[in-house]
DNA sequence: AGTTATAATGTAATCATTACAAATTTGACA
DNA sequence: TGTCAAATTTGTAATGATTACATTATAACT
Protein backbone atom coordinates (compact mmCIF):
# COMPACT_ATOMS: atom_id res chain seq x y z
CA UNK A 1 0.00 0.00 0.00
CA UNK A 2 2.44 2.63 1.21
CA UNK A 3 6.07 1.80 0.56
CA UNK A 4 8.57 2.79 3.19
CA UNK A 5 10.40 4.87 0.64
CA UNK A 6 7.28 6.81 -0.22
CA UNK A 7 6.61 7.46 3.45
CA UNK A 8 10.20 8.59 3.99
CA UNK A 9 9.96 10.95 1.07
CA UNK A 10 6.65 12.28 2.32
CA UNK A 11 8.05 13.07 5.76
CA UNK A 12 11.20 14.62 4.36
CA UNK A 13 9.15 16.90 2.15
CA UNK A 14 7.44 18.14 5.29
CA UNK A 15 10.78 18.63 7.07
CA UNK A 16 10.27 15.73 9.46
CA UNK A 17 13.16 13.32 9.86
CA UNK A 18 11.87 9.86 9.01
CA UNK A 19 12.80 7.91 12.11
CA UNK A 20 11.44 4.41 12.53
CA UNK A 21 8.74 5.30 15.08
CA UNK A 22 7.62 8.22 12.95
CA UNK A 23 7.39 6.06 9.86
CA UNK A 24 5.36 3.49 11.73
CA UNK A 25 2.99 6.03 13.20
CA UNK A 26 2.46 7.58 9.78
CA UNK A 27 1.96 4.19 8.18
CA UNK A 28 -0.62 3.34 10.81
CA UNK A 29 -2.52 6.57 10.30
CA UNK A 30 -2.56 6.17 6.53
CA UNK A 31 -3.40 2.50 6.48
CA UNK A 32 -6.30 2.43 8.89
CA UNK A 33 -7.76 5.92 8.43
CA UNK A 34 -9.55 5.36 11.71
CA UNK A 35 -8.79 8.60 13.56
CA UNK A 36 -6.96 6.84 16.39
CA UNK A 37 -5.93 8.29 19.74
CA UNK A 38 -2.33 8.35 20.90
CA UNK A 39 -3.12 5.40 23.10
CA UNK A 40 -4.59 3.36 20.26
CA UNK A 41 -1.55 4.01 18.12
CA UNK A 42 0.76 3.03 20.95
CA UNK A 43 -1.09 -0.22 21.58
CA UNK A 44 -1.18 -1.08 17.90
CA UNK A 45 2.55 -0.55 17.44
CA UNK A 46 4.10 -1.70 20.68
CA UNK A 47 4.09 -5.36 19.63
CA UNK A 48 6.09 -4.60 16.54
CA UNK A 49 8.30 -2.01 18.30
CA UNK A 50 8.71 -3.35 21.83
CA UNK A 51 10.92 -0.43 22.88
CA UNK A 52 8.28 2.10 21.86
CA UNK A 53 7.35 4.64 24.48
CA UNK A 54 4.02 6.37 24.73
CA UNK A 55 5.85 9.65 25.06
CA UNK A 56 7.37 9.01 21.65
CA UNK A 57 3.91 8.61 20.21
CA UNK A 58 2.88 11.93 21.70
CA UNK A 59 6.09 13.59 20.53
CA UNK A 60 5.59 12.21 17.05
CA UNK A 61 1.99 13.33 16.85
CA UNK A 62 2.86 16.83 18.02
CA UNK A 63 5.60 16.95 15.41
CA UNK A 64 3.17 15.77 12.77
CA UNK A 65 0.65 18.41 13.69
CA UNK A 66 3.11 21.28 13.61
CA UNK A 67 4.46 20.05 10.25
CA UNK A 68 0.98 19.47 8.87
CA UNK A 69 1.51 15.74 8.46
CA UNK A 70 -1.53 15.14 10.65
CA UNK A 71 -4.49 17.01 12.05
CA UNK A 72 -5.83 16.69 15.57
CA UNK A 73 -9.51 15.86 15.80
CA UNK A 74 -11.12 17.08 19.02
CA UNK A 75 -14.72 16.11 18.61
CA UNK A 76 -15.66 16.16 22.27
CA UNK A 77 -13.96 16.77 25.54
CA UNK A 78 -12.24 13.39 25.70
CA UNK A 79 -9.10 12.19 24.00
CA UNK A 80 -7.64 13.81 20.93
CA UNK A 81 -7.80 11.75 17.75
CA UNK A 82 -5.39 12.10 14.85
CA UNK A 83 -5.87 12.10 11.13
CA UNK A 84 -3.31 11.92 8.34
CA UNK A 85 -5.85 13.34 5.91
CA UNK A 86 -4.98 17.00 6.16
CA UNK A 87 -7.24 18.55 3.54
CA UNK A 88 -10.30 20.20 5.04
CA UNK A 89 -13.17 17.84 5.73
CA UNK A 90 -15.81 17.29 8.36
CA UNK A 91 -15.96 14.66 11.07
CA UNK A 92 -19.03 12.86 12.29
CA UNK A 93 -18.83 10.97 15.58
CA UNK A 94 -21.43 8.30 16.19
CA UNK A 95 -22.74 8.43 19.74
CA UNK A 96 -23.31 4.69 19.77
CA UNK A 97 -20.33 2.98 18.15
CA UNK A 98 -18.00 5.95 18.75
CA UNK A 99 -16.57 5.70 15.25
CA UNK A 100 -15.51 8.89 13.54
CA UNK A 101 -16.58 9.26 9.91
CA UNK A 102 -15.27 11.67 7.30
CA UNK A 103 -17.49 13.76 5.13
CA UNK A 104 -16.90 16.41 2.51
CA UNK A 105 -18.03 19.91 3.21
CA UNK A 106 -17.58 23.09 1.24
CA UNK A 107 -17.62 26.08 3.55
CA UNK A 108 -17.18 28.60 0.75
CA UNK A 109 -20.94 28.90 0.34
CA UNK A 110 -21.63 28.89 4.06
CA UNK A 111 -21.57 32.59 4.63
CA UNK A 112 -19.86 33.52 7.85
CA UNK A 113 -20.92 36.79 9.40
CA UNK A 114 -18.89 38.47 12.08
CA UNK A 115 -15.36 37.44 11.14
CA UNK A 116 -14.14 40.55 9.38
CA UNK A 117 -10.68 41.37 10.66
CA UNK A 118 -10.07 37.84 11.91
CA UNK A 119 -7.23 35.80 10.45
CA UNK A 120 -8.41 32.21 10.13
CA UNK A 121 -5.70 29.55 10.43
CA UNK A 122 -7.89 26.49 10.47
CA UNK A 123 -11.45 25.34 10.73
CA UNK A 124 -12.84 22.21 12.27
CA UNK A 125 -16.31 20.89 11.68
CA UNK A 126 -17.57 18.19 14.01
CA UNK A 127 -20.99 16.63 13.90
CA UNK A 128 -22.51 14.18 16.33
CA UNK A 129 -25.37 11.75 16.03
CA UNK A 130 -26.03 8.21 14.84
CA UNK A 131 -24.26 6.54 11.95
CA UNK A 132 -26.25 4.46 9.44
CA UNK A 133 -25.26 1.23 11.19
CA UNK A 134 -26.54 2.47 14.53
CA UNK A 135 -29.76 4.33 13.61
CA UNK A 136 -32.57 2.15 14.85
CA UNK B 1 -30.28 42.60 33.26
CA UNK B 2 -31.66 39.17 34.05
CA UNK B 3 -34.12 39.13 36.94
CA UNK B 4 -34.02 36.14 39.21
CA UNK B 5 -37.64 35.44 38.40
CA UNK B 6 -36.93 35.34 34.68
CA UNK B 7 -34.03 32.97 35.24
CA UNK B 8 -36.17 30.75 37.45
CA UNK B 9 -38.87 30.64 34.83
CA UNK B 10 -36.34 29.86 32.13
CA UNK B 11 -34.90 26.91 34.04
CA UNK B 12 -38.33 25.58 34.95
CA UNK B 13 -39.38 25.67 31.32
CA UNK B 14 -36.41 23.46 30.58
CA UNK B 15 -37.29 21.10 33.45
CA UNK B 16 -34.37 22.12 35.62
CA UNK B 17 -35.10 22.93 39.23
CA UNK B 18 -33.91 26.46 39.89
CA UNK B 19 -31.64 25.94 42.85
CA UNK B 20 -29.45 28.79 43.99
CA UNK B 21 -26.20 27.48 42.50
CA UNK B 22 -27.95 26.75 39.21
CA UNK B 23 -29.41 30.23 39.06
CA UNK B 24 -26.03 31.75 39.74
CA UNK B 25 -24.26 29.66 37.11
CA UNK B 26 -26.90 30.53 34.56
CA UNK B 27 -26.75 34.20 35.48
CA UNK B 28 -22.98 34.14 35.07
CA UNK B 29 -23.16 32.48 31.66
CA UNK B 30 -25.78 34.93 30.41
CA UNK B 31 -24.19 38.04 31.84
CA UNK B 32 -20.63 37.58 30.67
CA UNK B 33 -21.13 35.58 27.47
CA UNK B 34 -17.45 34.68 27.74
CA UNK B 35 -17.55 30.92 27.20
CA UNK B 36 -16.07 30.15 30.62
CA UNK B 37 -14.69 26.85 31.83
CA UNK B 38 -16.07 25.10 34.90
CA UNK B 39 -13.08 26.36 36.82
CA UNK B 40 -13.66 29.96 35.79
CA UNK B 41 -17.29 29.78 36.83
CA UNK B 42 -16.32 28.26 40.16
CA UNK B 43 -13.75 30.95 40.86
CA UNK B 44 -16.13 33.70 39.86
CA UNK B 45 -18.92 32.48 42.13
CA UNK B 46 -17.15 31.08 45.16
CA UNK B 47 -16.81 34.50 46.78
CA UNK B 48 -20.52 35.08 46.66
CA UNK B 49 -21.38 31.44 47.50
CA UNK B 50 -18.65 30.37 49.93
CA UNK B 51 -20.08 26.88 50.30
CA UNK B 52 -19.99 26.26 46.56
CA UNK B 53 -18.31 23.08 45.49
CA UNK B 54 -16.60 22.59 42.16
CA UNK B 55 -18.48 19.33 41.79
CA UNK B 56 -21.70 21.32 41.94
CA UNK B 57 -20.49 23.47 39.07
CA UNK B 58 -19.76 20.35 37.04
CA UNK B 59 -23.08 18.79 38.00
CA UNK B 60 -24.90 21.97 37.07
CA UNK B 61 -23.18 22.26 33.72
CA UNK B 62 -23.90 18.65 32.86
CA UNK B 63 -27.52 19.21 33.78
CA UNK B 64 -27.62 22.34 31.66
CA UNK B 65 -26.17 20.51 28.68
CA UNK B 66 -28.60 17.62 28.85
CA UNK B 67 -31.51 20.06 29.22
CA UNK B 68 -30.21 22.31 26.47
CA UNK B 69 -29.73 25.26 28.78
CA UNK B 70 -26.08 25.38 27.74
CA UNK B 71 -23.79 24.01 25.06
CA UNK B 72 -20.30 22.66 25.62
CA UNK B 73 -17.63 24.25 23.47
CA UNK B 74 -14.66 21.97 22.84
CA UNK B 75 -12.44 24.02 20.62
CA UNK B 76 -9.21 22.20 21.30
CA UNK B 77 -8.06 19.37 23.49
CA UNK B 78 -7.97 21.40 26.69
CA UNK B 79 -10.82 22.34 28.98
CA UNK B 80 -14.44 22.41 27.97
CA UNK B 81 -16.04 25.83 27.80
CA UNK B 82 -19.73 26.50 28.24
CA UNK B 83 -22.16 28.74 26.44
CA UNK B 84 -25.71 29.69 27.35
CA UNK B 85 -26.35 30.69 23.74
CA UNK B 86 -27.80 27.47 22.43
CA UNK B 87 -28.78 28.41 18.90
CA UNK B 88 -26.29 27.20 16.31
CA UNK B 89 -23.32 29.46 15.77
CA UNK B 90 -19.61 29.19 15.17
CA UNK B 91 -16.74 29.75 17.59
CA UNK B 92 -13.42 31.36 16.84
CA UNK B 93 -10.59 30.91 19.31
CA UNK B 94 -7.75 33.39 19.14
CA UNK B 95 -4.39 31.67 19.48
CA UNK B 96 -2.90 34.71 21.20
CA UNK B 97 -5.42 36.06 23.70
CA UNK B 98 -7.29 32.73 23.96
CA UNK B 99 -10.65 34.49 23.80
CA UNK B 100 -13.50 32.68 22.11
CA UNK B 101 -15.61 34.76 19.72
CA UNK B 102 -19.03 33.96 18.32
CA UNK B 103 -19.88 34.23 14.67
CA UNK B 104 -22.94 33.50 12.59
CA UNK B 105 -22.76 30.73 10.08
CA UNK B 106 -25.42 29.26 7.86
CA UNK B 107 -24.59 25.68 7.03
CA UNK B 108 -27.63 25.19 4.80
CA UNK B 109 -25.67 26.23 1.74
CA UNK B 110 -22.53 24.36 2.74
CA UNK B 111 -23.29 21.18 0.92
CA UNK B 112 -22.28 18.14 2.91
CA UNK B 113 -21.48 15.07 0.88
CA UNK B 114 -21.24 11.66 2.46
CA UNK B 115 -23.79 11.94 5.25
CA UNK B 116 -26.75 10.18 3.71
CA UNK B 117 -28.18 7.77 6.25
CA UNK B 118 -26.61 9.62 9.16
CA UNK B 119 -28.82 11.17 11.83
CA UNK B 120 -27.28 14.47 12.89
CA UNK B 121 -27.94 15.56 16.45
CA UNK B 122 -25.66 18.55 16.62
CA UNK B 123 -22.94 20.34 14.75
CA UNK B 124 -20.03 22.32 16.09
CA UNK B 125 -17.94 24.70 14.08
CA UNK B 126 -14.66 25.85 15.59
CA UNK B 127 -12.17 28.13 13.90
CA UNK B 128 -8.73 29.08 15.11
CA UNK B 129 -6.47 31.97 14.27
CA UNK B 130 -5.88 35.56 15.31
CA UNK B 131 -8.57 37.96 16.43
CA UNK B 132 -8.57 41.56 15.17
CA UNK B 133 -6.92 42.79 18.39
CA UNK B 134 -4.07 40.32 18.05
CA UNK B 135 -3.32 40.35 14.31
CA UNK B 136 -0.01 42.13 13.95
C1' DA C 1 36.65 8.03 16.06
C1' DG C 2 34.98 12.19 18.17
C1' DT C 3 31.56 15.66 18.53
C1' DT C 4 27.17 17.59 18.28
C1' DA C 5 22.31 17.66 17.33
C1' DT C 6 18.20 15.16 17.27
C1' DA C 7 15.16 11.60 18.81
C1' DA C 8 13.47 8.15 22.05
C1' DT C 9 12.67 6.50 26.59
C1' DG C 10 10.88 6.08 31.47
C1' DT C 11 9.15 8.14 35.26
C1' DA C 12 6.92 11.47 37.73
C1' DA C 13 3.91 15.29 37.75
C1' DT C 14 -0.08 17.91 36.18
C1' DC C 15 -4.65 19.01 35.58
C1' DA C 16 -9.43 18.56 34.12
C1' DT C 17 -12.93 15.66 35.09
C1' DT C 18 -15.43 11.90 37.43
C1' DA C 19 -16.90 8.62 41.15
C1' DC C 20 -18.79 8.16 45.26
C1' DA C 21 -20.53 8.45 49.83
C1' DA C 22 -22.09 11.57 53.25
C1' DA C 23 -24.54 15.74 54.41
C1' DT C 24 -27.91 19.09 53.33
C1' DT C 25 -31.89 20.99 51.31
C1' DT C 26 -36.34 20.76 49.16
C1' DG C 27 -41.05 19.84 48.58
C1' DA C 28 -45.07 16.98 49.17
C1' DC C 29 -48.14 15.51 52.35
C1' DA C 30 -50.18 14.41 56.82
C1' DT D 1 -45.87 22.42 61.60
C1' DG D 2 -43.58 17.87 61.57
C1' DT D 3 -42.20 13.95 58.85
C1' DC D 4 -40.17 11.69 55.22
C1' DA D 5 -38.42 10.66 50.63
C1' DA D 6 -36.26 12.56 46.71
C1' DA D 7 -33.21 15.67 44.84
C1' DT D 8 -29.26 18.42 45.38
C1' DT D 9 -24.91 19.73 47.19
C1' DT D 10 -20.54 18.87 49.18
C1' DG D 11 -15.73 17.07 49.99
C1' DT D 12 -12.50 13.88 48.98
C1' DA D 13 -10.38 10.47 46.46
C1' DA D 14 -9.62 8.40 42.06
C1' DT D 15 -9.12 8.49 37.14
C1' DG D 16 -7.03 9.20 32.84
C1' DA D 17 -5.05 11.83 29.20
C1' DT D 18 -1.34 14.61 28.55
C1' DT D 19 3.05 16.93 29.70
C1' DA D 20 7.64 17.86 31.94
C1' DC D 21 11.94 16.51 32.30
C1' DA D 22 16.19 14.13 32.88
C1' DT D 23 18.58 10.26 30.84
C1' DT D 24 19.88 7.31 27.13
C1' DA D 25 20.28 6.17 22.39
C1' DT D 26 20.69 7.23 17.67
C1' DA D 27 21.99 9.90 13.65
C1' DA D 28 24.73 13.26 11.12
C1' DC D 29 28.86 15.38 10.28
C1' DT D 30 34.00 16.31 10.55
MN1 LIG E 1 -10.79 12.57 8.92
MN1 LIG F 1 -20.89 31.04 21.69
ZN1 LIG G 1 -22.46 3.99 14.91
ZN1 LIG H 1 -6.77 37.72 20.33
Amino acid sequence: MYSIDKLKEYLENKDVKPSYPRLKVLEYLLRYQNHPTADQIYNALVNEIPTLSKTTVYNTLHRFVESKVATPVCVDGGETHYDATVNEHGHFKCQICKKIFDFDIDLEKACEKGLTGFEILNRSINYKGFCPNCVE
Side-chain angles (χ1 to χ4, degrees), chain A:
Chain A
M1 206 73 165
Y2 300 99
S3 78
I4 293 294
D5 284 348
K6 280 281 178 196
L7 296 177
K8 267 190 181 153
E9 197 187 327
Y10 183 71
L11 286 183
E12 277 163 351
N13 285 340
K14 301 252 186 177
D15 281 316
V16 177
K17 286 196 187 172
S19 73
Y20 188 63
R22 287 172 181 173
L23 283 169
K24 288 313 230 176
V25 170
L26 177 60
E27 185 190 36
Y28 180 88
L29 286 173
L30 290 171
R31 171 179 296 168
Y32 296 104
Q33 302 275 9
N34 56 348
H35 307 93
T37 64
D39 195 65
Q40 285 177 287
I41 297 170
Y42 172 79
N43 285 307
L45 297 181
V46 72
N47 295 317
E48 199 179 352
I49 319 171
T51 63
L52 185 67
S53 154
K54 198 175 279 188
T55 304
T56 298
V57 177
Y58 277 107
N59 289 341
T60 297
L61 291 168
H62 292 158
R63 202 86 214 297
F64 281 6
V65 170
E66 81 177 349
S67 308
K68 305 220 184 299
V69 173
T71 315
V73 180
C74 309
V75 51
D76 45 30
E79 315 126 286
T80 302
H81 298 253
Y82 292 89
D83 193 349
T85 306
V86 291
N87 68 312
E88 185 169 286
H89 61 281
H91 288 114
F92 180 100
K93 180 164 190 180
C94 174
Q95 303 292 80
I96 307 286
C97 66
K98 311 296 180 193
K99 280 210 208 57
I100 295 176
F101 299 85
D102 290 325
F103 64 92
D104 288 329
I105 185 162
D106 182 7
L107 289 176
E108 295 314 306
K109 292 156 203 153
C111 53
E112 308 144 350
K113 276 186 296 186
L115 284 181
T116 40
F118 287 77
E119 184 180 335
I120 299 167
L121 294 181
N122 72 64
R123 318 188 264 207
S124 64
I125 300 99
N126 298 308
Y127 288 15
K128 287 199 272 190
F130 306 123
C131 81
N133 307 323
C134 297
V135 190
E136 66 286 57

